[in-house]
Amino acid sequence: MHDDSLFNAQEVFILIKGQQVYLREIREDDSDSIIRCFQNEEIMYMTGTRNILTKEQIKEAIKRFKADSSRYDFAICLVDNDQVIGDLAIMEVDLDNKKAVFRIALHNIENCGRGMGSEAVRLAQRFTFEELNLNRLELQVYSHNSRAIKSYEKVGFKKEGVLRQALFMNNTFSDEIIMSLLRDEYMKIQK
């Protein structure tokens, strides 16, 4: 356990701190920030999201997520002022096979390209490999989201598969790219 992270299984309070951002357990009042994703066409397209959720639907989803022992959902907050700028999840945690699936969303397109998303991903990796002791972290990203692909590669994820033309959105097909990071690769990056 690191000095700058706290994990208490009974309270389920989680804090993992970086230089620009920190992760904490997501709360229902974070729906005010999350709803911004559904108001931005570019974010919707980059994530392949079709359904626009209401604030109440987001709050209900957060309640369901908290009750699901196979996932950890975090708000991404700025260290300087505690503002929520995104959310991420480590889902489908499979302790038998020591693997999980990862997703992230920044709630405002202006926060992209500033290193905050990459730092949040690194914090999620640290939680996955050092706190949960998993061996594999997997994600899916669409081929038209080149900025995200570059960001994932920068923090160590490797492309390992392509589901060709898996998404039809904005009148065009996109591939779904599967990327992963393994524990030994993560440990090499940390040295």
Side-chain angles (χ1 to χ4, degrees), residues 14 28 35 41 45 50 71 78 114 123 183:
I14 300 166
E28 286 181 48
I35 203 158
E41 286 182 34
Y45 179 56
R50 296 182 197 280
R71 64 185 292 149
L78 293 176
R114 297 173 55 196
L123 296 175
R183 180 184 181 81

Side-chain angles (χ1 to χ4, degrees), residues 93-99 134:
V93 175
D94 178 346
L95 296 176
D96 292 332
N97 294 302
K98 296 189 165 288
K99 65 180 184 173
L134 299 182

Side-chain angles (χ1 to χ4, degrees), residues 21-183:
V21 299
Y22 66 88
L23 307 181
R24 65 154 168 78
E25 185 179 40
I26 201 158
R27 303 185 303 238
E28 286 181 48
D29 62 352
D30 294 327
S31 59
D32 292 330
S33 180
I34 294 169
I35 203 158
R36 283 188 227 134
C37 288
F38 300 102
Q39 297 167 347
N40 186 296
E41 286 182 34
E42 186 177 355
I43 291 174
M44 298 275 289
Y45 179 56
M46 291 301 147
T47 58
T49 304
R50 296 182 197 280
N51 299 327
I52 297 174
L53 301 179
T54 66
K55 193 187 279 192
E56 281 309 309
Q57 288 171 316
I58 294 167
K59 286 181 180 182
E60 284 302 314
I62 291 170
K63 282 183 197 174
R64 279 194 319 275
F65 297 161
K66 285 185 176 204
D68 184 346
S69 63
S70 72
R71 64 185 292 149
Y72 295 85
D73 288 82
F74 298 94
I76 305 167
C77 305
L78 293 176
V79 168
D80 291 344
N81 61 15
D82 299 317
Q83 177 189 352
V84 177
I85 62 159
D87 67 282
L88 64 83
I90 299 165
M91 320 171 289
E92 300 175 35
V93 175
D94 178 346
L95 296 176
D96 292 332
N97 294 302
K98 296 189 165 288
K99 65 180 184 173
V101 174
F102 171 78
R103 69 145 203 85
I104 185 172
L106 295 181
H107 300 162
N108 191 327
I109 207 74
E110 284 76 38
N111 289 324
C112 295
R114 297 173 55 196
M116 295 180 288
S118 294
E119 184 177 46
V121 173
R122 283 192 293 272
L123 296 175
Q125 290 171 340
R126 188 168 86 197
F127 180 76
T128 300
F129 296 115
E130 296 182 29
E131 304 292 337
L132 297 179
N133 278 322
L134 299 182
N135 183 60
R136 174 184 168 84
L137 188 60
E138 174 185 315
L139 63 85
Q140 293 85 31
V141 61
Y142 293 111
S143 56
H144 61 260
N145 194 348
S146 57
R147 179 171 47 210
I149 294 166
K150 286 178 189 163
S151 178
Y152 294 138
E153 288 174 333
K154 185 171 88 174
V155 295
F157 283 94
K158 297 188 179 352
K159 292 179 186 174
E160 64 178 27
V162 176
L163 303 175
R164 298 179 304 148
Q165 298 185 359
L167 177 75
F168 185 72
M169 195 170 188
N170 289 357
N171 225 19
T172 189
F173 285 102
S174 293
D175 295 339
E176 185 175 336
I177 299 169
I178 297 160
M179 302 180 79
S180 71
L181 179 67
L182 302 177
R183 180 184 181 81

Side-chain angles (χ1 to χ4, degrees), residues 184-191:
D184 63 341
E185 295 166 340
Y186 167 79
M187 296 310 272
K188 285 178 188 168
I189 294 168
Q190 298 314 301
K191 290 182 178 179

